[in-house]
Amino acid sequence: MLTNSPIFFLGLFALALQAIPRVASAPVQVPFGQFLATVRAANFQQWRHSAVDSEASFNQMKAHVLDIYSGVGTVKHSFLHDGRYADCIDIHRQPSLAGRPLATAPIAPLNQPPATSGGPTGPTAPIDSPLTQNLKDPFGNDISCPDGTIPFARLTLERLTAFPTLAGFFAKSTTGAGRAPHATRELEGELEGRGPAAQPHLYAYGFQQVTNYGGHSWLNLWNPIGDFSLSQQWYVGGSGANLQTAEGGWVVYPQHFSTKAVLFIFFTPDDYTTGCYNLECKAFVQISNKWFLGGTFDQYSVTGDGQRGFDLQWKLFGVNWWLFLRGPGATYDAVGYYPGSVYKGGQLTRNASLIEYGGEVTRFTTADVWPQMGSGMFPSKGYSQAAFQNTIYYNPRNEDDGVGVWSFLTKVVVGSTNCWDINITESAQGGGWGTFFFYGGPGGNTC
Ligand SMILES: *[C@@H]1O[C@H](CO)[C@@H](O)[C@H](O)[C@H]1NC(C)=O
Ligand SMILES: *[C@@H]1O[C@H](CO)[C@@H](O)[C@H](O)[C@H]1NC(C)=O
């Protein structure tokens, strides 16, 4: 937790700490202006005991934080949620716009699911965003953002200096690995060689090679234990150095986010050389104040009990990749979009050629156990024990309205099936869940 971290105190209160005895772990309110002033005044000496590898890397991190916030203007409301600050930033001054006006691009129309036959495999309970629950933080601030602003997870030096370099912070994981699995399986040898402690990323997923404009699934939400464990969708186009992706789902990644699963999106325009999570670099333009990218949820699935989760859809419409999320109720929220420009005229400005859905894990050193995947249970345990994704379809056209096409997924397990597995049910047998799968497992020492 941020507020318990010695580095947090070291960085923000280095001077104060010399004067007063370090006491409680009670949260301290840090207004946005004070946070930014502390970043401006920060120097490498204060952070040399963090993971940052050099003064040059530290200076890059500091420059990035200052650049991100350079145009945001005044922040009138901030809140602390689950140990992390969010600042409500004027939608027109968000970093990804870089001073340009908010696009007048029409919001993409959502693709509806194809017809189902039969009933669901089990009941599911959509989670709503914590920002809609009328919650208050420990200081009495509303855990929500007013209209006209978007929740922006505070980019602190404490978060960045948990990594050796700025590139390591941006990457899908600390090693710079964690690619769209199928598209780059031939590259795994290279991935595994990266960095002294680089460990491979291991997967249980389904894929289909098909021209698509995004797609959809309902992601059952859990809190697996470990260094890095996620459930997500990948839309992939191009190849080699021009590989491009739009991705989203939930991830447990304590070094970067939290020990609890957080909502995330990710993109790369250039085979994971650049790209980033959420709003952490200038790319994704958010238009909704309802969803907190990088934030935890306030409800998770319970073994043998309520199965929580959310609908997520990516849709390429015009040249923009739109993100939709849905909690309870019929309405999807258009959360925002990756402007076509982030893909620099590449394949994802036209279409994607590969869809993938599933789980991914990694560990950071050989001393760590491989994380749990999904709920930590094998797919054979089935509903309310094993994690799943259902209602998995892709968008077949860049069109004004549309109905999806059920995905027809081929199974791949990377790693030992003693650690995790995936059991895909195609739409013809899927009943009310359409195409779905159970996946996951306990991880362990030899995966
Ligand atoms: C998808 O994109 C590729 C490469 O940009 C292009 O050659 C192809 O014609 C596109 N497919 C469709 C159906 O538009
Ligand atoms: C795979 O899932 C289907 C549908 O839920 C189920 O009937 C089947 O028993 C499962 N197979 C295994 C090996 O778990």
Side-chain angles (χ1 to χ4, degrees):
M1 292 280 282
L2 177 77
T3 49
N4 291 331
S5 160
I7 294 170
F8 176 81
F9 279 95
L10 184 67
L12 293 183
F13 303 107
L15 294 175
L17 268 180
Q18 291 166 9
I20 55 163
R22 172 140 173 246
V23 273
S25 59
V28 176
Q29 187 157 14
V30 184
F32 178 76
Q34 182 186 331
F35 151 69
L36 208 52
T38 308
V39 175
R40 282 199 196 95
N43 62 57
F44 178 60
Q45 285 312 309
Q46 294 167 312
W47 293 95
R48 68 182 191 285
H49 298 298
S50 69
V52 67
D53 68 4
S54 66
E55 183 158 15
S57 295
F58 174 82
N59 289 337
Q60 270 195 329
M61 291 172 179
K62 177 176 167 179
H64 176 68
V65 173
L66 294 177
D67 179 54
I68 279 284
Y69 289 113
S70 62
V72 305
T74 311
V75 169
K76 297 201 188 81
H77 182 72
S78 303
F79 60 84
L80 189 67
H81 180 246
D82 228 352
R84 300 261 182 208
Y85 272 102
D87 298 302
C88 300
I89 287 179
D90 184 335
I91 188 171
H92 297 287
R93 302 189 70 166
Q94 60 183 298
S96 292
L97 291 173
R100 295 185 306 270
L102 191 64
T104 51
I107 291 176
L110 184 89
N111 271 53
Q112 298 299 326
T116 54
S117 57
T121 296
T124 54
I127 43 93
D128 211 342
S129 167
L131 272 51
T132 62
Q133 308 300 303
N134 297 317
L135 302 174
K136 301 255 189 215
D137 78 4
F139 317 111
N141 302 307
D142 288 335
I143 298 186
S144 64
C145 278
D147 288 346
T149 68
I150 56 156
F152 192 98
R154 191 174 285 182
L155 214 46
T156 61
L157 287 172
E158 190 227 12
R159 295 185 56 205
L160 274 73
T161 58
F163 294 81
T165 62
L166 182 60
F169 173 76
F170 286 148
K172 186 85 176 288
S173 83
T174 183
T175 59
R179 301 175 175 222
H182 185 67
T184 54
R185 243 185 306 162
E186 69 276 12
L187 292 174
E188 267 171 30
E190 176 212 328
L191 297 186
E192 291 167 28
R194 279 199 184 188
Q199 288 283 296
H201 284 237
L202 303 177
Y203 303 88
Y205 69 99
F207 76 93
Q208 182 178 9
Q209 267 156 333
V210 63
T211 299
N212 70 89
Y213 301 81
H216 179 279
S217 70
W218 194 87
L219 296 111
N220 183 210
L221 178 63
W222 291 88
N223 275 323
I225 294 166
D227 291 346
F228 180 102
S229 182
L230 63 71
S231 176
Q232 73 158 98
Q233 313 173 0
W234 289 261
Y235 303 96
V236 185
S239 60
N242 298 317
L243 185 108
Q244 305 195 315
T245 68
E247 312 179 22
W250 59 255
V251 62
V252 171
Y253 184 6
Q255 187 182 6
H256 194 115
F257 296 112
S258 171
T259 54
K260 289 159 72 176
V262 302
L263 177 65
F264 85 92
I265 58 171
F266 189 88
F267 85 106
T268 180
D270 52 10
D271 194 27
Y272 297 90
T273 304
T274 66
C276 70
Y277 282 104
N278 304 342
L279 306 176
E280 294 172 357
C281 64
K282 296 178 183 179
F284 188 79
V285 176
Q286 187 160 340
I287 65 165
S288 167
N289 60 356
K290 180 170 165 184
W291 294 91
F292 183 14
L293 296 171
T296 55
F297 298 90
D298 50 0
Q299 290 166 318
Y300 293 86
S301 301
V302 176
T303 303
D305 204 336
Q307 294 306 294
R308 300 285 177 176
F310 56 94
D311 283 292
L312 188 157
Q313 180 170 148
W314 280 110
K315 179 160 179 181
L316 173 58
F317 184 65
V319 296
N320 299 326
W321 279 86
W322 282 88
L323 174 70
F324 294 91
L325 291 170
R326 179 169 70 160
T331 313
Y332 280 80
D333 299 306
V335 180
Y337 60 92
Y338 283 121
S341 56
V342 308
Y343 294 110
K344 303 170 180 160
Q347 162 94 40
L348 280 209
T349 59
R350 292 183 285 281
N351 59 57
S353 54
L354 173 67
I355 57 176
E356 300 177 321
Y357 304 83
E360 170 181 349
V361 300
T362 193
R363 62 177 181 178
F364 294 146
T365 74
T366 50
D368 299 350
V369 291
W370 288 98
Q372 296 179 332
M373 184 189 286
S375 66
M377 298 278 203
F378 285 111
S380 57
K381 294 282 188 183
Y383 174 77
S384 92
Q385 306 279 326
F388 60 92
Q389 290 188 28
N390 70 27
T391 324
I392 303 170
Y393 57 88
Y394 66 89
N395 299 334
R397 282 174 292 277
N398 185 335
E399 63 188 346
D400 213 352
D401 59 340
V403 173
V405 174
W406 291 122
S407 306
F408 192 88
L409 299 174
T410 301
K411 162 181 172 166
V412 180
V413 175
V414 182
S416 165
T417 51
N418 292 326
C419 293
W420 41 74
D421 205 345
I422 181 168
N423 176 15
I424 297 166
T425 301
E426 304 294 355
S427 60
Q429 287 78 45
W433 276 16
T435 298
F436 72 88
F437 57 76
F438 289 105
Y439 75 103
N445 286 308
T446 48
C447 292

